[in-house]
Amino acid sequence: QNEKRVVAPWSVLGSALIWRRMPASVTPLRKEAHEMTIGTSFGRVGTNRRQFLGTAAAVVTAAALDAGPLTAQVRSHTMKAVAFDAFAIFDPSSVFRLAEEIFPGRGVELSNQWRTRQFEYTWLRNSMRQYSDFWHVTRDALNYAAKQSGVNLNPEQSMRLMSAYLQLKPWPDVAAVIQILQKHGLQLALLTNWTPAMMEACLKGSGLEAAFRYQLSTDRVEAFKPDPVTYRMGLEAFHLQKDEIAFVAFGGWDAAGAKAFGYPTYWVNRFSVPPEELGVSADATYRDLSPLPSFIDSLRRV
């Protein structure tokens, strides 16, 4: 059996990177989508996690108040657009493989610390009202992770690791699903913590620059998800109502934030982690994107 170890990116609040193994194949629910292979089978080896649930829960509660009453079922006959978190489109595991290549035997620990601090710093900066863009937050998190892990990170190594974020490639199921959504007349956007430069580089490098009508960075509002003001960017860009825009989240915390805001929410839970205990849940949860068109169709039929 051919297997490889991959570093699983974060998908829960405050989670560190985890070595996981993924099933060799996932069968899509929609016949237009090609059968996608997304890795090898999963099993948790370890995690190093700090809890920021109190802060996140407060932000999600604020989002819920902004959205108005939540309903158990999405009610929409006019689904017109889909907004994606960038990590629902782009696979960051190459960054963490590079960390292990540069620091053999230490790259996993470094990556765990790095990814944990990367998102904890966004939430802390939200709470402190001290915005710094995601590129700088990522660099700060890397510097901290190196010190915490006892890794001697020189400027050249730091630049290599940071630059890897400008070369991310799409998950294997992305291209087919985007084609289906476009075929059905849906407008697409990225709505992400990423900087515009990060989005531009990865979209251009993957030939996807024409796929997304809008590339919405939290730089516009100087706050990070799950602050409600970040999700509101989708309404303003598309000039649509909340129930006309589906949101596709990669992290469980992002799925909770988007749902609390009022978006019909699809969580691409690639690593089969439990949902966050924040009082709200995504409308649909799958391990890959291939069922997304069927989810959109189901919203149109409600």
Side-chain angles (χ1 to χ4, degrees):
Q1 182 178 358
N2 294 323
E3 288 191 342
K4 63 178 180 179
R5 290 202 308 171
V6 297
V7 177
W10 73 101
S11 47
V12 290
L13 276 171
S15 67
L17 281 171
I18 303 165
W19 284 110
R20 296 179 182 273
R21 301 179 182 220
M22 185 177 279
S25 63
V26 175
T27 303
L29 299 184
R30 186 180 176 87
K31 65 181 180 180
E32 293 106 308
H34 300 281
E35 184 171 357
M36 301 297 173
T37 299
I38 59 174
T40 49
S41 75
F42 274 88
R44 184 175 226 168
V45 173
T47 182
N48 177 19
R49 177 174 181 176
R50 294 177 62 198
Q51 301 298 324
F52 272 73
L53 293 177
T55 299
V59 174
V60 170
T61 299
L65 292 174
D66 184 73
L70 295 177
T71 58
Q73 184 182 52
V74 176
R75 295 181 175 87
S76 175
H77 299 278
T78 56
M79 189 60 54
K80 296 177 181 177
V82 184
F84 294 82
D85 178 65
F87 285 114
I89 298 296
F90 294 103
D91 176 4
S93 61
S94 58
V95 179
F96 312 117
R97 288 194 295 268
L98 178 61
E100 182 63 19
E101 177 185 321
I102 295 173
F103 301 106
R106 305 295 300 277
V108 176
E109 181 183 359
L110 174 65
S111 296
N112 286 345
Q113 292 287 345
W114 187 10
R115 295 304 301 156
T116 298
R117 291 311 183 281
Q118 186 179 43
F119 277 83
E120 286 178 352
Y121 281 0
T122 66
W123 301 321
L124 285 169
R125 286 188 172 277
N126 271 359
S127 297
M128 299 186 318
R129 299 292 186 263
Q130 295 291 325
Y131 185 79
S132 182
D133 70 40
F134 193 65
W135 181 263
H136 288 92
V137 167
T138 300
R139 184 189 60 195
D140 291 345
L142 174 59
N143 290 338
Y144 176 90
K147 294 173 185 177
Q148 178 67 20
S149 304
V151 169
N152 185 17
L153 180 70
N154 65 42
E156 187 274 335
Q157 293 165 333
S158 176
M159 180 59 67
R160 284 183 66 192
L161 288 168
M162 289 294 298
S163 296
Y165 269 105
L166 303 177
Q167 303 169 47
L168 302 185
K169 299 304 179 185
W171 296 94
D173 49 6
V174 166
V177 170
I178 285 178
Q179 280 190 333
I180 295 169
L181 297 179
Q182 291 177 324
K183 176 183 174 181
H184 287 267
L186 289 157
Q187 302 178 69
L188 307 182
L190 294 180
L191 196 163
T192 177
N193 286 338
W194 289 21
T195 66
M198 294 171 74
M199 284 190 281
E200 181 181 0
C202 291
L203 287 169
K204 185 175 181 180
S206 302
L208 293 176
E209 58 266 45
F212 297 93
R213 181 174 181 182
Y214 300 109
Q215 298 164 30
L216 306 175
S217 168
T218 55
D219 282 1
R220 295 187 180 202
V221 293
E222 296 192 348
F224 292 109
K225 294 186 291 181
D227 191 305
V229 71
T230 62
Y231 299 111
R232 186 167 291 279
M233 291 191 298
L235 308 182
E236 295 171 353
F238 287 119
H239 300 288
L240 296 173
Q241 301 301 308
K242 294 174 184 175
D243 63 359
E244 296 176 312
I245 304 170
F247 186 84
V248 181
F250 182 67
W253 60 270
D254 196 14
K259 180 59 182 175
F261 180 74
Y263 284 139
T265 302
Y266 181 104
W267 179 21
V268 54
N269 182 8
R270 295 189 184 272
F271 308 114
S272 301
V273 298
E276 297 298 338
E277 297 293 337
L278 293 171
V280 285
S281 300
D283 298 289
T285 298
Y286 291 96
R287 289 190 301 178
D288 68 289
L289 286 177
S290 55
L292 178 61
S294 294
F295 170 69
I296 300 297
D297 285 348
S298 72
L299 297 180
R300 286 174 157 175
R301 291 195 298 268
V302 171

